[in-house]
Amino acid sequence: MKKRLLLTLIPLALALPAVSSFIAYQNEAIGVYAASGYTNSKLPTTIDLNPVAETDIRSYYADLNGKDLNGENLLKALKPILKEGQLYHSYDSGSSVWQAYEITDRDWELSPASSTTYGTYDPATNVITDYVYGKSYADPKNNPYQHLFYRNHDVPEARWKAWDHHGDNAGTDREHIWPKGHGFGEDDAQEKGGKVPGARGDLHHLVASDSYVNSSSHNYYSYGFVDPSKIEDDAGANFKIDGKTVVAGNYRGTSQTLGEGMVFEPQDSEKGDIARACFYMVARYNNLAGDDPNIDSGNPNLTLIDTVSPKETNVSTASTPTGYGLLTDLLAWHKLDPVDDYEIHRNDLIYRNYDKNRNPFIDFPEWVDMIWGTVTLGEDGRTILSRDATPRGKASPSSDAVYAGKGGEESSSSPASSSVAPASSSQQTSAASSSSGGDKGSSLPLPLIIGIVAGVALIVIILIIVATKGKGKAKKNARKVIKKTVKSATKSSSKKKK
């Protein structure tokens, strides 16, 4: 009987190092990804173009219902909602962001889904299946037209495709609306060793843009109205394509609001989009609850301020957020350029197919007033007469108006154009149910982990009993197995620490 028991236990015991290492690996992976709240993910090949139903938007924020929150308490409560299930697509490795732009930053009027070449578009469901992304300039595949920030969308010469001139002053860029140097670093060191740099690749503030304006005009400068008499850089005058002005309305110069300090002012059509992206960054990346020990260059601690940020690169800490602004001007831009159809569609595309989370200030624009208060503007639409920082009202997703105060459609950006077939209400509801919410990743379920650990513990206990109470070969073999197991587990742990 003892011999049979030993023959059964020895194979199980030999598997102990592998099981232990696997559990350790799973726990380590979960811990690393939890730091920034991201899970690495491949780009989807099934692309859902449907709008997200209003009921599903309200459901996404349902945890806020009945809590009557505003101000910092509302920001604090939004963070876990926006972080839950959020996916990450690498900014530093490969072409993931450029490829995602083929969908998220596509000009859906110039490049409608019905003309998709590398993939199959079904107008009945408004879904593309087997989509093949471009790989390089030499192999651009579908190569749709893009909606570029800072470009004048009514000028034909300003229209560029997804794989036209990446990263040079004559082409397109990946613009961090919240500059990397203000809170979460500029290099890719944090991506090494398995760490996940979330904020760098967050598509809610990482947009396709004109390269010249991104690098020469915006750069690291704070946002704000520029004093018309103190313009230092007029992008429209400095950069042209084929002799045509393509980026008019983008300036860098002295802040009109402060009367000092250098700021960047984009063209009017981008002002509200930029403001709401900044509001999102603070809602998603903050440590107002004081309960996030993993603040780092991938999971920063951000806040909005009314002073010009310094040029120096800085990284936030758990106790010290990095500020950016100008908040007062961003509040004005939020009202001057309301949410439009392009912005709504992009938010839905990111939610359904890529990051799996939403920008609450596109969904509920009035929540901006509930957190930061409001401003009063002069008749010129540029002069800020006063700022009331008192939060107005309290958030209630079940009753607050979705897309309150929505503006009109932008030319070349409408997702509801006749060439992009809208799904029926029943199709929208079905699609929303199947693809809304965050992917929780591929880590082992907790009950399974507990079961494995319990089984391993039982085997260890039996081995110890045999090693101490047994006799002869059984006792000797049990001791050998325990010694080998401890040695293997120690070696595995040492490798992981390196």
Side-chain angles (χ1 to χ4, degrees):
M1 184 69 183
K2 286 183 179 179
K3 189 174 181 181
R4 281 185 188 176
L5 177 63
L6 186 62
L7 289 173
T8 304
L9 289 176
I10 287 176
L12 290 173
L14 290 173
L16 179 59
V19 173
S20 299
S21 296
F22 181 70
I23 293 172
Y25 171 79
Q26 285 290 327
N27 289 338
E28 182 182 36
I30 292 168
V32 167
Y33 295 151
S36 290
Y38 280 77
T39 301
N40 277 314
S41 178
K42 292 182 179 180
L43 296 177
T45 56
T46 296
I47 312 296
D48 190 339
L49 305 179
N50 287 290
V52 176
E54 184 176 307
T55 52
D56 292 312
I57 293 173
R58 295 185 186 282
S59 176
Y60 179 75
Y61 302 101
D63 283 352
L64 300 178
N65 284 324
K67 294 183 178 179
D68 295 327
L69 300 174
N70 62 14
E72 288 191 350
N73 288 327
L74 178 51
L75 279 178
K76 190 190 306 182
L78 279 169
K79 179 177 176 177
I81 294 173
L82 305 182
K83 181 177 178 179
E84 177 69 20
Q86 188 177 5
L87 301 184
Y88 167 70
H89 306 283
S90 177
Y91 173 82
D92 297 293
S93 303
S95 300
S96 291
V97 172
W98 292 114
Q99 292 170 325
Y101 283 163
E102 292 181 18
I103 302 297
T104 61
D105 290 45
R106 183 173 181 146
D107 186 316
W108 289 95
E109 186 174 281
L110 295 177
S111 297
S114 57
S115 67
T116 299
T117 304
Y118 292 87
T120 302
Y121 173 63
D122 183 351
T125 61
N126 211 19
V127 172
I128 302 172
T129 53
D130 300 321
Y131 186 78
V132 180
Y133 296 90
K135 294 183 178 179
S136 65
Y137 303 115
D139 190 13
K141 302 297 184 187
N142 191 47
N143 205 22
Y145 280 101
Q146 286 192 302
H147 175 101
L148 295 180
F149 267 52
Y150 315 134
R151 286 282 176 95
N152 305 147
H153 305 299
D154 58 345
V155 179
E157 286 78 9
R159 297 171 183 169
W160 287 53
K161 293 192 173 182
W163 291 91
D164 288 348
H165 296 285
H166 289 173
D168 62 53
N169 266 3
T172 66
D173 250 343
R174 296 169 299 175
E175 161 75 303
H176 287 92
I177 288 178
W178 191 295
K180 299 187 297 292
H182 291 308
F184 49 95
E186 290 188 322
D187 59 56
D188 64 353
Q190 66 269 30
E191 199 169 70
K192 296 173 182 177
K195 287 200 172 185
V196 184
R200 287 167 62 77
D202 193 317
L203 289 172
H204 285 292
H205 89 121
L206 185 61
V207 299
S209 76
D210 173 79
S211 285
Y212 176 84
V213 179
N214 177 32
S215 60
S216 299
S217 302
H218 177 210
N219 203 296
Y220 60 85
Y221 293 102
S222 302
Y223 296 109
F225 288 114
V226 171
D227 185 331
S229 66
K230 297 180 180 178
I231 294 173
E232 185 169 296
D233 176 80
D234 180 347
N238 295 337
F239 174 68
K240 301 178 187 295
I241 296 178
D242 296 331
K244 298 283 187 179
T245 299
V246 294
V247 290
N250 296 283
Y251 307 102
R252 176 165 47 79
T254 302
S255 165
Q256 177 175 293
T257 303
L258 298 178
E260 60 181 5
M262 192 70 62
V263 296
F264 167 65
E265 178 180 349
Q267 62 176 332
D268 290 346
S269 62
E270 258 87 72
K271 282 185 168 72
D273 304 59
I274 286 171
R276 286 178 285 276
C278 288
F279 300 149
Y280 161 84
M281 290 297 283
V282 175
R284 168 58 186 89
Y285 303 101
N286 67 69
N287 194 30
L288 292 169
D291 60 354
D292 193 338
N294 298 304
I295 298 296
D296 56 25
S297 52
N299 180 44
N301 182 10
L302 307 178
T303 189
L304 284 164
I305 57 176
D306 266 324
T307 56
V308 173
S309 299
K311 180 178 180 180
E312 293 77 16
T313 297
N314 54 78
V315 177
S316 57
T317 68
S319 59
T320 307
T322 294
Y324 190 55
L326 301 173
L327 172 57
T328 295
D329 293 43
L330 292 171
L331 291 173
W333 293 0
H334 172 59
K335 297 193 181 300
L336 288 171
D337 175 31
V339 172
D340 58 39
D341 289 332
Y342 173 80
E343 202 175 356
I344 292 170
H345 192 213
R346 188 177 191 272
N347 194 28
D348 287 348
L349 290 171
I350 291 172
Y351 175 62
R352 283 197 181 282
N353 305 291
Y354 297 96
D355 287 11
K356 300 292 186 178
N357 70 345
R358 302 186 64 80
N359 183 332
F361 307 106
I362 294 173
D363 295 331
F364 295 100
E366 291 182 346
W367 287 5
V368 172
D369 296 352
M370 296 176 187
I371 295 172
W372 290 283
T374 189
V375 297
T376 301
L377 283 169
E379 292 183 2
D380 62 357
R382 297 178 57 85
T383 304
I384 295 172
L385 302 178
S386 64
R387 159 93 193 282
D388 183 355
T390 305
R392 295 190 175 188
K394 295 180 179 180
S396 177
S398 63
S399 58
D400 291 341
V402 176
Y403 309 137
K406 184 175 83 71
E409 299 175 6
E410 286 185 17
S411 62
S412 79
S413 66
S414 171
S417 109
S418 59
S419 59
V420 181
S424 68
S425 58
S426 61
Q427 288 167 344
Q428 289 178 27
T429 302
S430 174
S433 299
S434 64
S435 61
S436 63
D439 187 337
K440 305 302 178 187
S442 57
S443 56
L444 285 176
L446 185 59
L448 180 56
I449 292 176
I450 292 172
I452 293 173
V453 172
V456 170
L458 180 60
I459 292 170
V460 171
I461 290 169
I462 294 173
L463 275 171
I464 292 171
I465 292 172
V466 173
T468 55
K469 303 291 184 181
K471 295 180 180 180
K473 277 190 175 182
K475 184 175 183 178
K476 187 176 180 180
N477 287 336
R479 288 185 173 183
K480 281 184 179 179
V481 169
I482 292 172
K483 187 176 180 180
K484 187 176 180 180
T485 300
V486 171
K487 185 177 180 181
S488 177
T490 303
K491 187 177 180 181
S492 175
S493 176
S494 176
K495 281 184 179 179
K496 290 197 181 324
K497 285 180 181 178
K498 290 178 182 178

